[in-house]
Amino acid sequence: MAKPKLATCALAGCFGCHMSFLDIDERIVELIDLVDLDVSPLDDKKTFDGMVDVGIVEGACADERHVKVLREFRAQCRILVAVGACAINGGIPSLRNLAGLEACLKTAYMDGPTVEGGGLIPNDPELPLLLDKVYPVQEFVQIDHFLPGCPPSAETIWAALKALLTGTQPQLPYSLFKYE
Amino acid sequence: MSSERFTFTVDGVPVEAEPGQTVVEACDAAGIYIPRLCHHPDLPPVGHCRVCTCVIDGRQTAACIMPAAKGMVVENNTPALNAERRTLIEMLFAEGNHFCQFCEASGDCELQALGYLFGMVAPSFPHLWPERPVDASHPDVYIDHNRCILCSRCVRASRTLDGKSVFGFEGRGIDMHLTVTGGHLDESALAAADKAVAACPVGCIVIKRTGYRTPYGRRRYDEAPIGSDITARRGGAKD
């Protein structure tokens, strides 16, 4: 029987959840026995060739590209797991919701201490359009499991992933269930 | 006094109480934990947060303000009540700006600990992202209104324990907010050692330069859920 496939993506976040995932250390050898890595920044595979068993989403939705990637993951992953505070609550990127998008851009690109000659808010059509606010992923697609934490510890990710890949429901013990 | 002691039941377990005790007080003494947020043992109960709501003699009632009575039948730890309590906690998380990842109160926060207790993983409600100020004018204490849950513990502690009445509320409903007598903290009589500061269940009123001192893993709610100190009083009893 073919190994289950695992895909991961990083939306608006710091990549810390992926780093925490890699923090499983030598258990990554065990992981390779359990899964084939599909689309992921870890192996740099960019496009899906078909359905994947488990998808891991790190990060919130801050621009249109994030929403596109998220919807693609939902369409291609049988089980979709939101990992970390950004994906679940908006996290640090959502701090911009408190100030407003325009004020943030203005502060960074127009009024910054290193800005000379008036500045310019980047508007190249190549750049993904920013959303009005930063949104948790479950506001766009159905999420099957949530792993809170900022980031969730390697133990948390490992425990949940192993459960999902072996067909059981992830049950986190109290000490692994954290919002930070 | 002991001659007048009486018994009522909580989830079928007999609890002894004395006249004048509320349901929460009697249960605390008996080692039965009723989840609560605005209640503090040193402060007069007010029934603000409704997290302690139990079904008492068939009616939903805040247990912190309900006097215990002989023969009372209390339902506390039921899936239905805990689901409603989780909803209350989710609403508080959605209403304010609660960023556990950089909050000084993380690990010691009662709101966060109740989220853990009720298994809150993701918000059921969209975040409101309100714009709220931070008052850092005081030399030793700051208030981050983003984290205020309007429990009124500081209001009550300042008035009844500190004798200062530094805090109050203004506005109604969603506009209700904590105010400081005099406008800013540095214009108030607040001191870092005040009971009003210690009474804050979240990271709203914080003593400056004391954050992150207790390492991860050794904070109040890192290893044991909130209420463990109360249930430990039951001795050999399970649950």
Side-chain angles (χ1 to χ4, degrees):
Chain A
M1 205 177 90
K3 283 190 273 183
K5 286 182 180 175
L6 172 72
T8 76
C9 67
L11 310 178
C14 70
F15 225 80
C17 295
H18 273 80
M19 300 314 288
S20 191
F21 175 36
L22 291 178
D23 214 20
I24 60 174
D25 297 331
E26 76 281 359
R27 282 169 294 187
I28 202 158
V29 179
E30 202 181 322
L31 183 75
I32 291 166
D33 288 337
L34 281 173
V35 289
D36 278 330
L37 199 59
D38 205 277
V39 169
S40 171
L42 300 176
D43 62 1
D44 217 23
K45 186 171 185 292
K46 307 282 192 201
T47 51
F48 288 98
D49 306 316
M51 287 297 280
V52 161
D53 297 278
V54 179
I56 286 180
V57 179
E58 169 191 345
C61 287
D63 66 39
E64 56 178 355
R65 187 191 61 91
H66 295 141
V67 181
K68 189 170 159 277
V69 170
L70 177 64
R71 291 211 163 114
E72 201 183 351
F73 261 68
R74 177 67 278 179
Q76 298 294 332
C77 302
R78 289 186 183 92
I79 301 170
L80 196 57
V81 189
V83 173
C86 299
I88 297 171
N89 296 97
I92 299 296
S94 68
L95 279 169
R96 87 145 138 97
N97 296 354
L98 308 183
L101 175 59
E102 200 179 334
C104 285
L105 289 172
K106 210 165 160 291
T107 302
Y109 293 106
M110 309 285 282
D111 305 332
T114 56
V115 173
E116 281 178 12
L120 176 73
I121 291 174
N123 61 354
D124 193 289
E126 289 273 309
L127 294 171
L129 201 62
L130 291 170
L131 303 180
D132 63 333
K133 281 192 166 75
V134 174
Y135 294 95
V137 291
Q138 72 271 17
E139 297 210 12
F140 294 95
V141 299
Q142 175 76 36
I143 300 291
D144 302 309
H145 295 284
F146 297 93
L147 285 187
C150 189
S153 68
E155 299 301 324
T156 308
I157 298 174
W158 178 243
L161 199 58
K162 217 173 156 187
L164 288 172
L165 291 170
T166 50
T168 51
Q169 292 294 311
Q171 293 283 345
L172 293 177
Y174 181 82
S175 59
L176 292 187
F177 187 72
K178 297 278 174 260
Y179 301 148
E180 22 123 30
Chain B
M1 221 156 118
S2 58
S3 60
E4 294 178 71
R5 287 180 77 85
F6 58 87
T7 306
F8 66 102
T9 64
V10 179
D11 295 330
V13 177
V15 173
E16 259 200 26
E18 55 191 55
Q21 275 187 321
T22 62
V23 173
V24 162
E25 282 167 346
C27 286
D28 279 2
I32 292 175
Y33 175 61
I34 298 175
R36 81 293 299 266
L37 198 45
C38 73
H39 179 71
H40 188 287
D42 300 335
L43 299 171
V46 285
H48 274 182
C49 73
R50 283 354 231 198
V51 170
C52 69
T53 297
C54 291
V55 176
I56 301 179
D57 289 337
R59 281 185 58 157
Q60 289 209 328
T61 312
C64 70
I65 45 171
M66 187 67 182
K70 190 179 175 186
M72 210 174 227
V73 177
V74 179
E75 291 170 40
N76 167 42
N77 191 11
T78 69
L81 282 169
N82 286 335
E84 291 189 354
R85 289 165 178 160
R86 185 176 62 224
T87 303
L88 285 174
I89 300 301
E90 286 176 354
M91 287 163 79
L92 287 170
F93 266 96
E95 184 182 315
N97 299 311
H98 299 280
F99 292 89
C100 293
Q101 54 268 64
F102 58 76
C103 181
E104 290 93 325
S106 261
D108 288 310
C109 172
E110 294 180 36
L111 178 70
Q112 184 188 55
L114 286 169
Y116 296 157
L117 183 71
F118 299 128
M120 182 191 87
V121 283
S124 307
F125 307 98
H127 288 285
L128 297 184
W129 310 116
E131 202 182 325
R132 296 202 194 155
V134 176
D135 180 350
S137 60
H138 193 283
D140 302 318
V141 183
Y142 76 87
I143 294 191
D144 187 341
H145 289 277
N146 291 291
R147 302 166 182 168
C148 182
I149 54 168
L150 305 173
C151 68
S152 82
R153 277 196 198 173
C154 59
V155 179
R156 285 174 281 153
S158 187
R159 190 189 307 144
T160 61
L161 302 179
D162 301 328
K164 290 181 179 179
S165 288
V166 168
F167 300 102
F169 285 135
E170 260 178 34
R172 304 286 285 172
I174 198 71
D175 296 320
M176 188 166 162
H177 58 276
L178 187 69
T179 55
V180 176
T181 310
H184 284 100
L185 269 190
D186 61 343
E187 293 152 295
S188 77
L190 188 75
D194 282 0
K195 297 272 195 273
V197 175
C200 182
V202 293
C204 176
I205 306 177
V206 182
I207 301 175
K208 289 180 178 176
R209 300 174 294 277
T210 59
Y212 317 112
R213 280 202 178 161
T214 313
Y216 193 97
R218 282 197 291 188
R219 300 163 306 177
R220 204 157 34 137
Y221 304 120
D222 273 339
E223 294 299 329
I226 187 168
S228 299
D229 53 332
I230 291 170
T231 49
R233 290 177 201 154
R234 267 180 87 184
K238 60 176 173 23
D239 193 347

